[in-house]
Amino acid sequence: MKKIFSWWYVPIAFFGALFVLYLGLIGYRLMAANGNQSGSDGTDSNNSFWSNIGQSIGIGNRRLKGEREGRVNVLLTGIAGGDNVAPDLTDTIIFASIDTKNHEIDMFSIPRDLYLEIPGFGYSKINAAYSLGKNYDAAGGGIETLEDTVTKVLDQPIDYYVKIDFDGFVEAVDLLGGVDVTVEEDIYDYLYPDGYGGYQIFSIDAGERHLDGKTALMYARSRQTTSDFDRARRQQQIMWAMKKAFLSKGLVEGGKVLIQLIDVVSDHLETNIKVWEWERIAELVKDWGDDVSINNFVFDNTSEGMLQDGNIDGVYVLQPQTGDFTEIQEFVDEQLNTVGKKEDEKISFEVLNATNRVGLASGVADSIKQDENEVLNVGNAEEIEQTKVLCTKEKLKLAKTYLAEKWPFIKNYEEISAGVTDADCQLVLGKDFEL
């Protein structure tokens, strides 16, 4: 089976923050948001305010859809919304599957240029599915049309959906005070949509950057001079940056921000997750504690990515390499039925303390082992100012991905020959290291 990309493990604090926010929506504002769902695109009126209240009775014995079977599947999607020239095209499509028994979450990003048959509408790019279903009054509206299309690709059931528009994203980032990201390469996009049918220039230099809401959105959406796959990875990067920004708030400030975020979400979020189901999600997360992992996947047009470039009537599209979605479906099914980190995704480390702080290497080693990686040796080294990582060629890229999420301040990476150390990587902790 082809390996598309690395697994990223993140702390439960992200889900704690996220679902505490969602739990706050149990109040009036989420009820109002759910009550609006039966309007524009024909979603089920049973998602209304009073229906949610009625179904909250007896929550103690209720379970999420799919929970008893061990998998809860959620479709996450983002649209332009507002006064944009194409407000209903889906810019982001993510299928998230939550393993409630083994505490894993698998997230599969589907590129917007994927060309396929949309049920009831013929062939088009997948990002048009929601718009077609909504604007042509399909049974179930835009969301059901998109769900049917995603199911056609992945052959997996969808239990819930969450849809948010760009305005809500911008406001949320600004309320957090902006986000900090590492821009991997210069971006100069001279064809970034201005929202009115024209274009504007978006540019950003590589390096450490602090982004406000508008800039974060442009960074996450830009693809003209990069690719749809780069954009998918930047979108995931922004998600983690928002998590960090929220968790950096103190108790008092965080509470104030939370209340403001509730207002933003209620105005820009649509979901069929009912009040009691949010309560159940919060209960699950509390029970999980620190034992959770996220695995991110992005289908792309590389030799191992299962998709290939195509051209339909002069329009760029992506199509499955094998002619149908069987290979993708088998890959997804294998991921969802495999527990724990794959053997070729594990990294073995030697951790050396190059500071005068007693116990630092042992603490780092314990943290690494919690992520299902190995630590073959813990020791000391001559003091250095900056932390450095020395890895074999086979594991260098994987280690960069893993450590960039875990300890993003590490910047010094070097390739070493196999045999220099028994481990895949040697992590030498400098005075700059913060556990």
Side-chain angles (χ1 to χ4, degrees):
M1 179 56 65
K2 298 176 180 177
K3 183 184 74 174
I4 296 183
F5 46 80
S6 303
W7 290 28
W8 290 355
Y9 282 69
V10 298
I12 186 60
F14 168 62
F15 291 100
L18 181 62
F19 288 121
V20 164
L21 169 60
Y22 287 158
L23 188 58
L25 300 180
I26 291 173
Y28 167 79
R29 293 173 177 83
L30 177 59
M31 297 174 187
N34 271 328
N36 288 335
Q37 290 178 37
S38 58
S40 60
D41 69 339
T43 48
D44 190 351
S45 61
N46 288 333
N47 295 331
S48 67
F49 168 82
W50 294 111
S51 176
N52 277 323
I53 290 296
Q55 295 189 47
S56 291
I57 300 174
I59 181 177
N61 298 321
R62 310 190 74 170
R63 293 294 180 266
L64 301 170
K65 298 175 186 176
E67 184 181 347
R68 297 188 189 279
E69 293 76 28
R71 280 281 176 185
V72 178
N73 297 333
V74 184
L75 179 64
L76 309 173
T77 183
I79 64 171
D83 298 325
N84 287 279
V85 66
D88 296 320
L89 294 181
T90 47
D91 202 65
T92 300
I93 303 172
I94 297 175
F95 173 82
S97 185
I98 306 169
D99 184 339
T100 59
K101 295 180 180 178
N102 298 297
H103 307 175
E104 288 190 356
I105 299 180
D106 297 292
M107 301 178 69
F108 301 86
S109 293
I110 302 176
R112 55 176 286 162
D113 289 324
L114 184 62
Y115 187 77
L116 75 170
E117 185 176 8
I118 297 175
F121 294 97
Y123 282 84
S124 185
K125 291 185 179 183
I126 195 169
N127 72 325
Y130 173 81
S131 179
L132 289 170
K134 173 184 175 181
N135 295 308
Y136 288 93
D137 298 322
I143 281 295
E144 188 167 314
T145 300
L146 180 58
E147 287 180 342
D148 290 345
T149 307
V150 171
T151 299
K152 182 181 181 73
V153 175
L154 304 180
D155 193 30
Q156 297 291 330
I158 295 173
D159 302 309
Y160 302 102
Y161 75 88
V162 177
K163 177 175 71 68
I164 191 168
D165 63 47
F166 293 158
D167 290 339
F169 173 85
V170 171
E171 291 182 42
V173 173
D174 284 339
L175 282 173
L176 292 171
V179 293
D180 295 313
V181 300
T182 300
V183 179
E184 297 295 337
E185 59 181 342
D186 295 346
I187 297 175
Y188 183 84
D189 187 348
Y190 55 89
L191 292 175
Y192 187 90
D194 64 5
Y196 302 99
Y199 302 98
Q200 59 181 311
I201 294 175
F202 168 67
S203 64
I204 187 169
D205 295 331
E208 303 292 330
R209 297 287 177 261
H210 183 80
L211 312 181
D212 61 13
K214 182 178 179 181
T215 307
L217 176 63
M218 298 174 79
Y219 176 69
R221 291 191 68 201
S222 177
R223 65 169 181 156
Q224 190 63 41
T225 53
T226 53
S227 74
D228 203 30
F229 316 112
D230 292 331
R231 178 171 65 174
R233 295 182 180 95
R234 291 197 302 270
Q235 289 171 354
Q236 293 172 354
Q237 183 186 20
I238 291 293
M239 288 173 61
W240 310 142
M242 291 177 70
K243 172 260 297 187
K244 292 179 181 178
F246 182 82
L247 294 177
S248 69
K249 308 294 181 186
L251 182 61
V252 175
E253 183 184 2
K256 293 179 180 178
V257 170
L258 180 61
I259 294 173
Q260 294 173 307
L261 284 172
I262 289 173
D263 281 325
V264 170
V265 171
S266 66
D267 290 337
H268 299 282
L269 178 140
E270 177 185 310
T271 180
N272 63 340
I273 301 177
K274 301 183 185 299
V275 173
W276 72 266
E277 291 168 322
W278 284 122
E279 294 173 340
R280 177 59 185 159
I281 290 171
E283 182 182 344
L284 282 175
V285 171
K286 179 181 178 182
D287 291 341
W288 287 1
D290 292 331
D291 181 23
V292 66
S293 62
I294 297 183
N295 314 313
N296 290 310
F297 306 91
V298 179
F299 298 110
D300 61 23
N301 58 353
T302 63
S303 59
E304 296 184 343
M306 303 187 197
L307 299 178
Q308 61 184 354
D309 298 334
N311 187 296
I312 304 295
D313 298 328
V315 177
Y316 172 79
V317 300
L318 288 165
Q319 297 170 298
Q321 292 178 1
T322 58
D324 60 30
F325 294 107
T326 301
E327 185 181 29
I328 289 177
Q329 292 168 1
E330 290 175 349
F331 174 82
V332 172
D333 187 67
E334 180 179 338
Q335 301 308 312
L336 300 187
N337 288 285
T338 302
V339 178
K341 182 177 283 192
K342 312 300 185 293
E343 287 302 317
D344 64 350
E345 297 288 351
K346 290 183 179 180
I347 312 169
S348 62
F349 286 91
E350 178 181 26
V351 183
L352 301 179
N353 186 355
T355 76
N356 59 4
R357 286 180 280 168
V358 177
L360 179 61
S362 296
V364 171
D366 289 341
S367 180
I368 289 174
K369 287 186 283 189
Q370 287 178 359
D371 295 335
E372 298 185 54
N373 289 308
E374 295 180 281
V375 177
L376 303 184
N377 181 49
V378 174
N380 297 311
E382 292 186 11
E383 290 189 14
I384 59 174
E385 294 295 326
Q386 292 188 321
T387 299
K388 62 181 180 180
V389 183
L390 300 89
C391 294
T392 61
K393 181 178 180 180
E394 291 75 14
K395 295 292 185 177
L396 181 59
K397 184 176 181 180
L398 183 61
K400 281 184 177 181
T401 302
Y402 167 66
L403 294 173
E405 172 59 26
K406 195 171 184 68
W407 294 303
F409 55 83
I410 299 178
K411 303 300 179 186
N412 299 323
Y413 291 88
E414 298 177 22
E415 181 181 321
I416 57 175
S417 301
V420 173
T421 172
D422 292 334
D424 298 319
C425 295
Q426 189 178 75
L427 175 56
V428 186
L429 308 175
K431 295 178 180 179
D432 65 330
F433 191 88
E434 298 177 6
L435 182 59

